[in-house]
Amino acid sequence: MSEMLKIKEAIVVEGRYDRNTLSQLVDTLILQTEGFGIFKDKEKKALLRRVAEKRGIIILTDSDGAGFVIRNHLKGILPPEQIKHAYIPDLKGKEKRKRTAGKEGKLGVEGMRPEVLEQALRNAGATILGEQPQGAPRRDITKLDLFQDGLSGRPDSAQRRQRLLQALNLPEHLTGKALPEVLNTLLTYEEYQELIQTL
């Protein structure tokens, strides 16, 4: 992949290795949370708010528990209409520079191939400058759909959700609350319905 993707939104990642990996793929502002450092960093939070207001932000954290804690913190400090969520798949492994895998044994942003990262950003709805936005409006997948399809509100809903997450290669830490947002990022309503039939 030779062409850099010019993206309107800024991208927020956890650390400098994530940033290094991403900077080889995209031409945009990339900000780091310094892991949990964001929790206490008032200046960084103020910067994120200003950037989100000006151009929007895409949150791209690792798919492990820590990545979700950071993502949820950012969701709590930024207006929802100014953020988009990019999710990387749950893949086992370790980054080349590390001696051992992380606590959950999953690859982080820095360990993803460029095409996987590009797809995650496209799925999140990144505004890629110089490309035409996609066409007609579509029907969103709603919380009511998830309820009607047994993915919430039933004794076996958690197991059904896990099967869906595995089928889509999504992080196991994804909450039921975040699920519609992620599904709408990845699938059309029709694709979702097809997938539900197979589960």
Side-chain angles (χ1 to χ4, degrees):
M1 237 179 29
S2 53
E3 191 83 12
M4 292 279 273
L5 289 176
K6 285 187 173 15
I7 293 180
K8 172 183 165 265
E9 297 86 359
I11 302 174
V12 179
V13 295
E14 291 177 50
R16 74 172 192 266
Y17 293 103
D18 301 333
R19 182 183 178 175
N20 293 347
T21 299
L22 211 52
S23 65
Q24 295 164 36
L25 171 71
V26 297
D27 177 3
T28 191
L29 174 65
I30 304 170
L31 299 166
Q32 299 161 213
T33 67
E34 309 301 347
F36 294 141
I38 189 67
F39 296 172
K40 292 192 173 110
D41 191 335
K42 289 186 174 73
E43 288 84 11
K44 179 74 61 80
K45 287 181 191 183
L47 174 64
L48 289 174
R49 286 189 190 101
R50 286 177 60 195
V51 171
E53 192 180 346
K54 272 274 188 273
R55 56 197 283 187
I57 277 182
I58 298 171
I59 299 173
L60 178 62
T61 57
D62 294 351
S63 64
D64 61 5
F68 272 81
V69 169
I70 293 165
R71 182 183 296 274
N72 288 331
H73 181 73
L74 294 171
K75 273 164 77 168
I77 64 168
L78 297 169
E81 67 278 3
Q82 294 172 0
I83 50 180
K84 295 176 178 177
H85 293 276
Y87 295 92
I88 57 171
D90 252 351
L91 299 175
K92 296 286 182 198
K94 73 168 192 66
E95 280 78 15
K96 285 188 183 96
R97 71 178 175 87
K98 294 182 179 171
R99 273 212 168 114
T100 57
K103 200 160 63 178
E104 295 178 37
K106 296 174 184 177
L107 281 176
V109 170
E110 72 168 283
M112 293 291 142
R113 294 190 328 276
E115 55 273 19
V116 173
L117 291 171
E118 178 178 344
Q119 196 54 57
L121 292 169
R122 287 182 182 279
N123 290 345
T127 310
I128 299 170
L129 305 173
E131 280 188 14
Q132 290 302 313
Q134 300 307 308
R138 47 181 249 172
R139 181 201 186 287
D140 273 349
I141 302 158
T142 64
K143 284 184 180 169
L144 181 61
D145 293 321
L146 299 185
F147 177 75
Q148 289 171 336
D149 295 324
L151 294 165
S152 68
R154 291 195 198 160
D156 66 340
S157 293
Q159 291 93 337
R160 292 175 65 88
R161 271 198 314 277
Q162 280 307 311
R163 285 205 302 273
L164 177 70
L165 293 173
Q166 285 168 348
L168 290 169
N169 208 358
L170 286 170
E172 63 185 331
H173 293 282
L174 213 52
T175 62
K177 197 173 165 192
L179 193 54
E181 176 189 347
V182 175
L183 291 174
N184 283 313
T185 300
L186 299 176
L187 304 170
T188 63
Y189 176 75
E190 293 71 27
E191 290 168 335
Y192 162 75
Q193 282 301 321
E194 274 175 42
L195 183 58
I196 288 298
Q197 301 313 314
T198 66
L199 289 178

